[in-house]
Amino acid sequence: MLSGFLPGQEAGNVSIVTESGAGQYSSSPARIGKVVASWCADASLRSELSSRSREIGTPHATREIACLLDEYLWRTPASAPGSVAVSTLGPVIP
């Protein structure tokens, strides 16, 4: 259940979650309560929501982005030839 989002990239996440059937969005406390109560009362619906969430999820995305930034910032040659720092983040987890 999504109840809000930050402008920018997170707005797209609302569409992804709702259009995939992995969850719903509402800023209304009454609506949120009704939806969550219906989920709590229906085990098969919770299972379906969980399955859809796993299908669209990217659990390692933050680490992958950090590693890409690390590559770009620290392994890209700096203005002085030969000046490259060593990464401390380690490998991306598949």
Side-chain angles (χ1 to χ4, degrees):
M1 185 74 216
L2 302 174
S3 61
F5 58 91
L6 296 173
Q9 181 182 351
E10 284 191 6
N13 293 343
V14 173
S15 297
I16 291 168
V17 169
T18 58
E19 291 172 13
S20 71
Q24 293 187 33
Y25 168 82
S26 179
S27 59
S28 163
R31 174 76 180 140
I32 292 167
K34 287 179 184 177
V35 170
V36 172
S38 73
W39 293 350
C40 291
D42 188 339
S44 66
L45 177 57
R46 287 194 313 274
S47 179
E48 181 64 27
L49 290 167
S50 179
S51 177
R52 290 180 182 177
S53 295
R54 281 190 301 276
E55 289 173 9
I56 65 168
T58 53
H60 302 291
T62 301
R63 182 163 175 84
E64 290 172 9
I65 291 167
C67 287
L68 287 170
L69 288 170
D70 178 62
E71 286 284 331
Y72 178 77
L73 294 172
W74 297 108
R75 294 186 184 163
T76 301
S79 58
S83 60
V84 179
V86 177
S87 168
T88 58
L89 287 179
V92 173
I93 299 170

